[in-house]
Amino acid sequence: MSPLLFSLENHEGTHVHVSHGVDSYWPFKRTFRTIILSFLPPSFADTLQAVLKKTFSEAAQSESRLAIANALDQMGILIDFKSLINLAIDQEIERHVMETCPRIRDQHMLPELRNWFNDRVKTWMTDIFGKGRRSVQWYNYLLIYVFASLFEHYMLKVLCDLRISELFEIIVDYEDKTHPLPVLQDLKDCLARTGQRKELVKGLRESTIKRLLQPGAATSDILQQYVSTIKVLRFLDPPGVLLYGVAEPIRRYLRERPDTIKIIVANLIPRKKKKKDKDAMDEDDDGSDDEDKDEGVLLDDQNEPAPIQANEEIYEDYTDPAWQPPANDAEPGFRAQKTSDIISTLVSIFGSKDLFIKELQISFGQRLLAITDGNYDEEVHNLEVLKIRFGDTPLQICDVMMKDLTDSRRTDQHIQDRVQSALHPTIISRHFWPSMPRSTLQLPGQLRELQKIYENEYQVQKQDKKLKWLPNMGTVELTVQMDDGRETRVTATPLQAAVIELFSDCPQWHVEQLAERLGKLDITSVALALMFWQSQGVVQDLGAHLFRLRETLDETAQNTESAPAATEYGLGVAAESPEEQGSVEVYWSFVRAMLTNLGQLPTERIHGMLRLAPGPNPTPEQTLHFLESAQREGLVEFRDHLWSLLRR
Amino acid sequence: MKVIVHRWNAIAQWRWDVGQDGDGPDEDSEEDLCGICRASYEGCCPTCKVPGDDCPLIWGKCSHVFHMHCLLKWIATPASKSQCPMDRRPWGTRKSR
């Protein structure tokens, strides 16, 4: 810096001498400027910039700034480097913002930045331009004021750009904060000054498409991000012009996802468990809160449930005294949404409510049937809430479901008063429930007896009606008492119950026989039920599709010798603990049953079926590992991507 | 070995007993519809919202079965001449079967 200053001072001397005559002053100045500018080496601009930069960083050196500015001014060339000076200020602002602001979410940066600006930049400008500079006198203070506001504007723009580029992450972080983060307030203030709304829409739209709307993203995550986006953009821009621009691709994408409706509906109905947990955990620490987050996240809406707005209406309501024209940067299709209700917005993705109602009915039906303790209060409440949203008429069907349940309970009580029965059926109106899977299952033995007794009693109660069972639905709680005194109490499916019921007549069954006897079922589902009992230690696999009751434990010991158990073939390789050993056995009998019945299967199929097996679910790798070890043992072979059983 | 059933939560559908005992796959066959409103017996007549006992059936002596509301409405019109809409025989309600 010093040689430069030195040379400037030399010139200054000349200047002071000659500048007295008023007439000759201007022409002289012009000539002098021309000469001195032509004298300056090309590197001068760069050097000057570097020097200016340096004067920024050291706050105390007000004198050196003054010296430079004075020198430039006295030579009359301050104006010539005005753009250079501006650039220096711009760069300084950028540097400072990028140094202090990125990734800061929980703090208002704007006041701090403004302080810094007044403190540093304004002082600097005053030093350079102010203090009675001769060539800039005429606009001195006014100029500083105007310039300062221009630079402040630039500072806001830099911050705004930064925040726009971060907005996607900000929205990701937004998730469950109910109060807008300070960072959003900053962004809002910046936007109000800089008007970078178009840039915001463009930037956020791009990052959303690039980072969110990908096949790899779970639909629930996309919905979550959409909801957060709605909240954030509503905060930034209440009329929703920004949102409209950003939401469009998300909505279009969600419309194409097959499970969108299902997930929205699942979130429309509050989870029963969650609520209870919350009550219990009120005094608890926050640690467990994180676990709830995943379920029902979309509905952290604090609002009272409101009717879903009819978004189908095409015309705006101009008679509304609060009507306002859309903002002037609104896209052509934009219509102001009166409601800020998030659920309405989600439902409107699909244009009409019908699809939701259908899905709601299905999910409602499934939930009701899953209730076995007769406590429907929660669901009644849910239904009320849903009715407020969707209106009474579409949910009429759910009312009928509800009524079926209460009627069933009443009928059941009457019947139980007359004949004690373990059977407690839910009697439903068939056209008002989601369609149920049909089954040809015919229940044997005491199960059929129970049904018959109940049927007859029902007809006594309701003379005009009769019952038609859905035999494969529901659950049976039962105990299997073995002759050696072992007892196994389980909750089984009706099919599983039917299978074990048959074993009480005859201790040994062939899979095909069982399937035939139970009403021509497919063998796989019977095999699945057998697996269940095998894992309970009630039956054992004798090989060749034969299953036998494990009547006593010693018999078991004998039979393991004769029966080809998986462990004999060293399939225990994959197993490390006794339990895993057990599951390997189960897997093997499962795989064998599968391959016997279905012939050849690809690995993925086998893996899919193994997940139905009792015990821990194997990962695809474990399945493959397991199959490979079976192959090494010569039990199965792998050809053309298909596994098949090697007959021995 | 013995199996003891403690509690069985089953699911069943109710059906109107319209005389045919066929448990077969006659799910939505013609027989299951009310001849007047063409809705299923287990559904409800056009004016009702809740099926079952709130929208019962009526059994005619002529063996035809309708939603009660449907038939009463029909009988109330002068054009019906109190005849069964299916076979034009004078309508008589079967009390018990």
Side-chain angles (χ1 to χ4, degrees):
Chain A
M1 185 156 81
S2 43
L4 178 72
L5 278 182
F6 183 67
S7 71
L8 288 177
E9 272 155 18
N10 272 354
H11 287 293
E12 187 192 354
T14 336
H15 180 176
V16 171
H17 271 296
V18 199
S19 65
H20 283 302
V22 178
D23 291 338
S24 56
Y25 177 67
W26 288 110
F28 166 75
K29 197 176 169 184
R30 204 165 48 233
T31 320
F32 180 79
R33 237 182 84 202
T34 318
I35 295 170
I36 203 164
L37 283 178
S38 69
F39 262 107
L40 290 175
S43 60
F44 179 76
D46 293 341
T47 321
L48 180 60
Q49 203 183 349
V51 170
L52 286 173
K53 226 179 199 170
K54 222 165 169 216
T55 58
F56 255 120
S57 49
E58 292 146 46
Q61 286 187 332
S62 185
E63 303 82 35
S64 67
R65 265 176 263 165
L66 279 172
I68 298 172
N70 275 332
L72 289 172
D73 184 42
Q74 279 173 346
M75 285 185 289
I77 54 171
L78 181 60
I79 299 281
D80 291 296
F81 293 102
K82 207 180 75 192
S83 63
L84 206 84
I85 294 167
N86 289 351
L87 188 67
I89 298 176
D90 283 355
Q91 283 177 344
E92 178 62 13
I93 289 174
E94 275 170 36
R95 190 192 58 78
H96 183 74
V97 171
M98 296 315 269
E99 224 162 63
T100 51
C101 297
R103 284 181 297 284
I104 288 182
R105 300 272 185 277
D106 47 358
Q107 214 176 320
H108 284 291
M109 290 310 291
L110 214 47
E112 212 167 289
L113 283 178
R114 284 208 165 103
N115 281 342
W116 170 83
F117 185 83
N118 287 335
D119 221 43
R120 291 291 199 83
V121 182
K122 257 197 183 157
T123 332
W124 194 89
M125 285 172 69
T126 321
D127 282 346
I128 300 287
F129 291 118
K131 303 252 167 100
R133 297 262 161 280
R134 205 180 304 152
S135 58
V136 288
Q137 249 167 357
W138 29 310
Y139 47 43
N140 246 351
Y141 288 101
L142 183 64
L143 170 128
I144 288 175
Y145 183 76
V146 172
F147 264 27
S149 73
L150 282 180
F151 284 116
E152 192 183 344
H153 184 273
Y154 182 72
M155 180 175 76
L156 294 181
K157 185 175 172 299
V158 172
L159 181 64
C160 195
D161 283 339
L162 173 70
R163 291 300 185 229
I164 288 175
S165 70
E166 289 178 338
L167 191 54
F168 186 82
E169 283 100 12
I170 295 176
I171 295 175
V172 172
D173 293 344
Y174 185 80
E175 217 163 281
D176 49 358
K177 309 268 186 348
T178 37
H179 300 293
L181 304 168
V183 66
L184 289 173
Q185 186 60 49
D186 277 359
L187 180 54
K188 192 176 180 178
D189 294 347
C190 288
L191 276 177
R193 282 286 300 277
T194 65
Q196 286 170 293
R197 293 157 60 96
K198 278 233 159 61
E199 286 85 348
L200 185 144
V201 169
K202 189 162 168 280
L204 185 58
R205 207 177 150 122
E206 274 167 10
S207 51
T208 306
I209 291 174
K210 204 169 106 203
R211 300 180 52 183
L212 185 66
L213 306 182
Q214 298 291 339
T219 307
S220 55
D221 291 345
I222 299 179
L223 279 169
Q224 177 60 56
Q225 179 77 0
Y226 180 38
V227 169
S228 303
T229 307
I230 293 174
K231 287 180 184 161
V232 167
L233 294 187
R234 274 271 158 71
F235 172 76
L236 293 177
D237 170 51
V241 176
L242 296 183
L243 180 61
Y244 183 83
V246 178
E248 209 32 51
I250 308 182
R251 293 165 68 88
R252 210 181 314 124
Y253 188 82
L254 280 173
R255 226 172 285 153
E256 285 163 14
R257 285 251 174 159
D259 51 347
T260 304
I261 294 187
K262 216 171 233 166
I263 288 173
I264 296 177
V265 165
N267 281 288
L268 279 178
I269 308 176
R271 310 273 163 130
K272 190 162 78 181
K273 229 169 80 193
K274 197 183 160 200
K275 231 182 183 174
K276 275 183 190 160
D277 285 354
K278 267 206 176 146
D279 292 344
M281 276 192 300
D282 266 351
E283 307 97 292
D284 225 292
D285 58 345
D286 297 0
S288 34
D289 266 350
D290 296 2
E291 290 162 26
D292 312 330
K293 231 183 265 166
D294 285 346
E295 18 173 322
V297 277
L298 300 177
L299 290 189
D300 46 356
D301 217 10
Q302 308 295 326
N303 303 340
E304 281 293 295
I308 286 184
Q309 295 275 324
N311 280 348
E312 297 99 80
E313 63 187 46
I314 307 159
Y315 302 105
E316 295 199 42
D317 181 11
Y318 296 114
T319 58
D320 180 0
W323 183 87
Q324 287 196 326
N328 53 11
D329 58 348
E331 288 180 40
F334 173 79
R335 278 194 312 113
Q337 284 187 321
K338 278 158 264 166
T339 166
S340 60
D341 179 22
I342 286 186
I343 293 169
S344 300
T345 315
L346 289 179
V347 169
S348 72
I349 291 177
F350 289 88
S352 84
K353 294 188 279 186
D354 300 354
L355 287 165
F356 282 89
I357 306 255
K358 225 173 175 178
E359 190 61 38
L360 265 177
Q361 286 164 356
I362 293 173
S363 109
F364 196 70
Q366 283 164 349
R367 293 159 60 88
L368 286 184
L369 289 185
I371 295 175
T372 51
D373 58 0
N375 183 5
Y376 304 120
D377 298 349
E378 188 85 35
E379 297 299 330
V380 172
H381 172 74
N382 287 346
L383 185 57
E384 289 308 315
V385 173
L386 290 175
K387 272 187 183 166
I388 299 176
R389 291 197 186 283
F390 287 92
D392 282 353
T393 332
L395 293 174
Q396 184 67 48
I397 282 190
C398 297
D399 276 337
V400 175
M401 294 185 196
M402 218 58 228
K403 185 171 177 297
D404 280 348
L405 289 180
T406 41
D407 285 356
S408 306
R409 296 260 298 157
R410 204 176 317 123
T411 314
D412 189 50
Q413 269 159 17
H414 283 299
I415 291 178
Q416 298 290 340
D417 286 346
R418 292 167 57 96
V419 285
Q420 277 289 324
S421 170
L423 180 53
H424 301 276
T426 302
I427 301 162
I428 61 176
S429 305
R430 61 169 171 149
H431 294 296
F432 292 78
W433 287 74
S435 63
M436 312 274 176
R438 297 246 145 241
S439 167
T440 53
L441 175 64
Q442 283 173 4
L443 298 175
Q446 57 167 329
L447 298 173
R448 178 74 199 125
E449 279 310 306
L450 281 171
Q451 280 188 338
K452 263 190 187 150
I453 296 169
Y454 206 97
E455 265 170 44
N456 292 337
E457 271 317 305
Y458 184 79
Q459 276 198 301
V460 173
Q461 291 277 328
K462 310 251 170 192
Q463 302 200 344
D464 302 334
K465 292 188 195 164
K466 56 186 180 184
L467 286 182
K468 185 174 163 70
W469 300 97
L470 297 170
N472 54 333
M473 313 253 318
T475 52
V476 190
E477 278 172 46
L478 50 83
T479 298
V480 180
Q481 261 178 1
M482 305 303 263
D483 290 350
D484 63 351
R486 278 181 303 148
E487 285 195 3
T488 316
R489 184 171 177 143
V490 289
T491 302
T493 65
L495 174 61
Q496 287 161 351
V499 166
I500 205 64
E501 175 67 17
L502 284 176
F503 273 96
S504 68
D505 289 343
C506 164
Q508 185 168 323
W509 286 86
H510 201 261
V511 179
E512 275 105 49
Q513 274 177 315
L514 279 175
E516 183 66 30
R517 179 74 177 68
L518 291 171
K520 300 204 172 70
L521 293 183
D522 67 302
I523 287 172
T524 329
S525 48
V526 177
L528 276 172
L530 281 168
M531 294 310 141
F532 172 76
W533 290 115
Q534 197 179 359
S535 72
Q536 299 289 336
V538 175
V539 300
Q540 61 189 128
D541 186 354
L542 299 181
H545 299 198
L546 268 180
F547 284 82
R548 187 180 169 78
L549 215 53
R550 268 187 168 175
E551 207 48 274
T552 57
L553 281 174
D554 353 322
E555 203 182 320
T556 314
Q558 280 168 18
N559 274 318
T560 32
E561 279 164 38
S562 57
T567 38
E568 283 173 43
Y569 301 112
L571 287 183
V573 184
E576 271 135 34
S577 63
E579 300 104 78
E580 277 183 56
Q581 183 87 32
S583 58
V584 166
E585 252 177 88
V586 174
Y587 292 160
W588 170 239
S589 45
F590 218 80
V591 169
R592 190 172 43 180
M594 220 170 347
L595 292 177
T596 315
N597 292 312
L598 301 171
Q600 301 174 318
L601 289 175
T603 318
E604 302 81 56
R605 255 313 268 302
I606 295 179
H607 172 63
M609 308 262 286
L610 276 186
R611 293 204 319 212
L612 302 173
N617 283 347
T619 63
E621 292 78 40
Q622 279 171 346
T623 308
L624 192 62
H625 183 63
F626 168 76
L627 285 169
E628 278 166 353
S629 55
Q631 187 184 22
R632 277 196 298 277
E633 298 298 323
L635 297 170
V636 291
E637 64 173 351
F638 187 59
R639 200 178 285 164
D640 297 338
H641 305 285
L642 292 173
W643 295 93
S644 55
L645 216 53
L646 270 183
R647 306 275 169 198
R648 290 153 59 95
Chain B
M1 196 274 285
K2 228 170 105 187
V3 176
I4 303 158
V5 178
H6 302 290
R7 186 187 170 88
W8 180 6
N9 294 305
I11 293 165
Q13 293 171 336
W14 60 264
R15 296 289 162 89
W16 290 111
D17 192 354
V18 283
Q20 2 147 335
D21 251 355
D23 263 339
D26 52 16
E27 274 317 298
D28 290 307
S29 64
E30 278 296 287
E31 298 301 307
D32 283 323
L33 303 180
C34 164
I36 298 175
C37 70
R38 307 302 292 164
S40 157
Y41 289 143
E42 282 83 22
C44 39
C45 77
T47 49
C48 280
K49 298 264 190 286
V50 181
D53 296 338
D54 291 352
C55 184
L57 297 190
I58 192 164
W59 282 262
K61 283 180 180 154
C62 54
S63 87
H64 290 120
V65 186
F66 305 97
H67 287 129
M68 189 174 77
H69 299 155
C70 294
L71 186 91
L72 293 183
K73 232 180 272 167
W74 161 250
I75 295 290
T77 57
S80 74
K81 299 179 195 144
S82 295
Q83 290 166 340
C84 167
M86 301 296 268
D87 56 15
R88 295 276 163 194
R89 279 194 278 174
W91 179 261
T93 307
R94 203 153 33 128
K95 288 280 177 277
S96 64
R97 290 152 294 122

